[in-house]
């Protein structure tokens, strides 16, 4: 949230194990636009991702932790 987003998006997710979480933003052509990695502990996490470097459009947010992958869409509006 928010979606659509302007300059940043908040991502709330649940991890079942401690480990490295990777959050990547991809455009609709599959190109990776940005990647951030975090050391996470088991439980609920909230991350704020800065989207100010992205142009207006639709993007996929891909979250991976310990081999588990979740994907969602975000619309960036300038």
């Amino acid at each position: 949230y928010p979606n659509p987003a302007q300059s940043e998006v908040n991502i709330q997710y649940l991890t079942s194990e401690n480990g490295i979480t990777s959050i990547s933003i991809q455009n609709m052509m599959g190109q990776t636009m940005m990647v951030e990695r975090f050391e996470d502990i088991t439980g609920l996490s909230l991350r704020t991702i800065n989207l100010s470097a992205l142009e207006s459009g639709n993007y996929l947010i891909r979250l991976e932790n310990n081999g588990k992958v979740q994907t969602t869409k975000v619309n960036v509006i300038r």
Side-chain angles (χ1 to χ4, degrees):
Y1 63 91
N3 193 7
Q6 290 184 3
S7 60
E8 62 185 25
V9 66
N10 297 297
I11 301 170
Q12 187 173 18
Y13 56 94
L14 185 63
T15 55
S16 59
E17 303 175 35
N18 294 351
I20 301 295
T21 298
S22 173
I23 297 175
S24 61
I25 309 288
Q26 299 174 335
N27 64 19
M28 290 298 148
M29 297 186 325
Q31 298 168 313
T32 301
M33 307 306 289
M34 61 190 332
V35 177
E36 294 191 21
R37 290 182 175 80
F38 308 96
E39 182 77 31
D40 273 329
I41 59 172
T42 303
L44 189 63
S45 296
L46 177 66
R47 300 286 179 196
T48 300
I49 306 297
N50 185 335
L51 303 175
S52 61
L54 300 177
E55 296 179 8
S56 292
N58 292 308
Y59 295 88
L60 294 176
I61 299 174
R62 183 178 187 271
L63 186 138
E64 183 174 355
N65 177 274
N66 293 319
K68 296 177 182 144
V69 177
Q70 300 174 41
T71 305
T72 190
K73 287 184 188 177
V74 65
N75 184 11
V76 175
I77 297 176
R78 298 274 173 239

